Amino acid sequence: MGAIVSSNSAIFLPSDPSWPEITERWNTLAPPDIEIAVQPAEESDVSKIVQYCNDNSIEFLTVNRGHGITTSLGRFKGVQINMKQLTAITIGSDGKSALFQGGAYAQEIMTTLWDQGYVTATPATESVGLTGPALGGGHGRYEGLYGLVSDNIIHLNVVLADGSEVSVNETSHEDLFWAMRGAGHNFGIVTSLRLKIYPSQTATWHYHNYFWTQDKLETVFEELNKMEDQGSAPPLLGVNYGRISMNRSLDENYAILWWSFAYAGPSSEAEEILRPFNAIEAISEEVGDVPYPELVGPQDSAASSVASGSYVMSTVSLRAYNTTAQRQLYDLFNRNAAKCPELGSTARLVHEGYSSAGVRSIDPASTAYPHRDERHLAFFLTEIPEGSDLLELAETWARENWDIWNAGQPTRKPATYVNYATGNQYESLESIYGYEPWRLERLRGLKVKYDPYNRFRFYVPIIPY
């Protein structure tokens, strides 16, 4: 393979001292089996690598930052195409768009654009790549104003399963353009993409973090529902992140509620919106104003907060919080944390709420992303200690959480955000790609057209392995 790629490309074998770093992943529960890792130095190298793999009956898997969650990745064995060298960011001369290579990642993008007076829709966690989340939608702090990351895609340069290179946009391969924005992992490798960018409208973001005891749980979720009723959360209130977890520095025996709100504007405006939460007595609070790229620190979405581990998860999408269900989840959490401290010490119930005005403004049929009426992402996570026999217990706990969340919205079918899909058998394809029959029918038809041999089948595949 070395003879066909550009001179600055790098090829790694398991014997290489840097192999653990090259193949590192966030979730190691069911990792892909990497035999060779290639870092292309030029976008044109990617098509050559794919063609080489096809000619030699080798599977290939593209990786940016290694944050893929689903256990379906564990079925892979072959060549990893690592996009680490392809990180160029080029702001257009008109100041309305920028071109990002396939290896660019969130913090690099946020900082580069911010320093030039711009912002765009990106994932919220700084160490996460841009392209992977964008192919599944891509939630972030600016979606109240500008929609999902995928809603801001103007153009994609894509390598298809046969190694051919195509331009994908509203006038070129427009059917694939529809599919790539919501189900793109099934169709090709993005070597670069052009996104809309916007002038930054504020010098700082305001954040306010709260730590609450469990007796405030119902009040907190009731106020969250009021604030986000029918998707009416202010667009500038970009995100609220919540977490229920053990924090023994604050309480030895009971899980604590932590919530972080971020507002794209002055503190006076933000605190007026947050008055109902300020009225809820907190153990402690953290308040501040920082430039947008620095928001990852106080919101606990910096690289240091996403350490690698063997994580068992379950995930749901919600329109509103059922306070009875949230109490059941909390009580289950405390029982299991007490019964199995090894799991309880790393377990957390995570709640993500985004202002949805920009997402809902897009015609649902215009892209493959199916969940524009959802307002919250929630997931359970716990780490399996190395060498332990706690996997079955953790999986049972994860399923129980999933059941409670969905029982709390009895008139609705389960919904799963593809980028958080875990590979659990109780996640249906319809819950991920949409219950409207035409959605999966169209995706499967495009799969036949663009990937007839199902080469892209390892990340939440439309057509199973």
Side-chain angles (χ1 to χ4, degrees):
M1 188 184 297
I4 64 171
V5 295
S6 60
S7 58
N8 289 327
S9 297
I11 299 176
F12 302 89
L13 298 173
S15 57
D16 194 289
S18 60
W19 184 256
E21 177 186 352
I22 297 298
T23 58
E24 182 182 18
R25 303 193 60 81
W26 175 68
N27 192 355
T28 60
L29 180 67
D33 184 356
I34 308 301
E35 297 178 305
I36 301 173
V38 186
Q39 287 183 353
E42 305 289 342
E43 290 186 46
S44 58
D45 290 326
V46 176
S47 65
K48 297 173 184 176
I49 297 167
V50 170
Q51 290 169 1
Y52 176 91
C53 290
N54 287 337
D55 291 344
N56 291 277
S57 301
I58 301 170
E59 304 291 357
F60 53 86
L61 177 70
T62 305
V63 174
N64 184 353
R65 303 287 291 183
H67 285 268
I69 292 171
T70 177
T71 56
S72 65
L73 290 166
R75 302 190 186 109
F76 174 81
K77 183 177 182 179
V79 171
Q80 172 182 283
I81 305 173
N82 186 308
M83 304 292 276
K84 187 175 183 178
Q85 292 197 56
L86 300 177
T87 58
I89 300 171
T90 306
I91 297 174
S93 59
D94 62 359
K96 295 182 179 179
S97 69
L99 185 69
F100 305 91
Q101 285 192 311
Y105 61 97
Q107 184 64 14
E108 180 182 48
I109 293 166
M110 288 189 281
T111 301
T112 299
L113 294 184
W114 186 263
D115 289 346
Q116 299 299 316
Y118 297 102
V119 296
T120 192
T122 67
T125 301
E126 70 170 350
S127 58
V128 171
L130 172 71
T131 307
L135 296 180
H139 287 280
R141 297 181 181 93
Y142 272 108
E143 68 182 68
L145 294 172
Y146 309 127
L148 302 166
V149 178
S150 61
D151 297 331
N152 290 275
I153 295 175
I154 299 170
H155 177 94
L156 303 118
N157 293 313
V158 178
V159 174
L160 298 178
D162 63 1
S164 60
E165 300 172 286
V166 295
S167 296
V168 180
N169 52 52
E170 289 182 341
T171 59
S172 174
H173 300 282
E174 59 270 26
D175 54 355
L176 185 57
F177 189 54
W178 175 85
M180 293 295 289
R181 294 173 295 158
H185 313 91
N186 286 272
F187 292 97
I189 301 169
V190 176
T191 59
S192 59
L193 69 165
R194 183 170 295 279
L195 291 183
K196 299 174 186 176
I197 62 173
Y198 307 90
S200 55
Q201 300 293 325
T202 181
T204 58
W205 277 61
H206 180 75
Y207 68 87
H208 195 148
N209 300 346
Y210 305 83
F211 292 87
W212 286 300
T213 51
Q214 60 86 21
D215 56 305
K216 309 300 191 302
L217 182 146
E218 283 79 5
T219 305
V220 170
F221 282 103
E222 287 167 1
E223 292 299 338
L224 287 168
N225 281 338
K226 291 177 186 177
M227 184 180 70
E228 299 166 346
D229 182 47
Q230 303 300 314
S232 60
L236 293 178
L237 188 63
V239 68
N240 68 83
Y241 292 139
R243 183 174 65 230
I244 295 172
S245 63
M246 301 304 297
N247 185 331
R248 300 197 184 280
S249 66
L250 297 177
D251 194 309
E252 280 286 336
N253 301 310
Y254 295 98
I256 294 294
L257 283 71
W258 172 85
W259 231 271
S260 178
F261 296 84
Y263 183 84
S267 59
S268 57
E269 294 179 5
E271 291 301 327
E272 181 63 27
I273 296 169
L274 296 176
R275 283 176 64 186
F277 299 96
N278 291 333
I280 306 171
E281 182 182 3
I283 304 172
S284 66
E285 302 177 40
E286 301 166 341
V287 182
D289 299 88
V290 294
Y292 177 56
E294 297 177 21
L295 195 58
V296 296
Q299 287 217 291
D300 199 29
S301 53
S304 58
S305 68
V306 287
S308 178
S310 182
Y311 297 111
V312 168
M313 299 180 64
S314 59
T315 182
V316 297
S317 296
L318 306 168
R319 287 188 188 172
Y321 292 120
N322 182 312
T323 55
T324 300
Q326 291 300 145
R327 171 56 67 181
Q328 292 171 339
L329 289 160
Y330 179 88
D331 291 343
L332 175 66
F333 189 101
N334 273 316
R335 289 196 304 272
N336 283 345
K339 182 170 64 176
C340 184
E342 299 96 325
L343 295 179
S345 63
T346 60
R348 47 195 183 268
L349 291 164
V350 179
H351 304 78
E352 300 180 5
Y354 299 93
S355 177
S356 60
V359 178
R360 291 183 292 107
S361 70
I362 305 296
D363 177 5
S366 66
T367 75
Y369 180 78
H371 298 310
R372 295 188 182 275
D373 55 351
E374 306 296 338
R375 302 189 188 103
H376 310 289
L377 301 175
F379 62 87
F380 165 79
L381 173 153
T382 189
E383 183 178 359
I384 307 300
E386 187 175 354
S388 76
D389 59 354
L390 298 175
L391 177 61
E392 184 177 353
L393 178 59
E395 290 177 337
T396 299
W397 189 357
R399 176 60 190 264
E400 289 173 333
N401 285 308
W402 188 87
D403 288 338
I404 292 171
W405 264 315
N406 284 299
Q409 44 183 8
T411 62
R412 304 189 62 233
K413 296 177 180 178
T416 308
Y417 176 41
V418 64
N419 290 339
Y420 285 7
T422 64
N424 291 326
Q425 292 184 351
Y426 44 87
E427 294 173 346
S428 70
L429 280 179
E430 288 77 11
S431 78
I432 297 168
Y433 293 111
Y435 287 96
E436 301 139 297
W438 65 267
R439 286 190 176 273
L440 273 170
E441 288 173 8
R442 185 176 184 186
L443 288 171
R444 286 170 175 144
L446 292 171
K447 188 71 171 173
V448 172
K449 177 179 179 180
Y450 287 105
D451 184 16
Y453 299 107
N454 203 17
R455 298 290 270 158
F456 298 108
R457 64 178 185 274
F458 299 104
Y459 189 92
V460 196
I462 293 167
I463 299 175
Y465 186 87

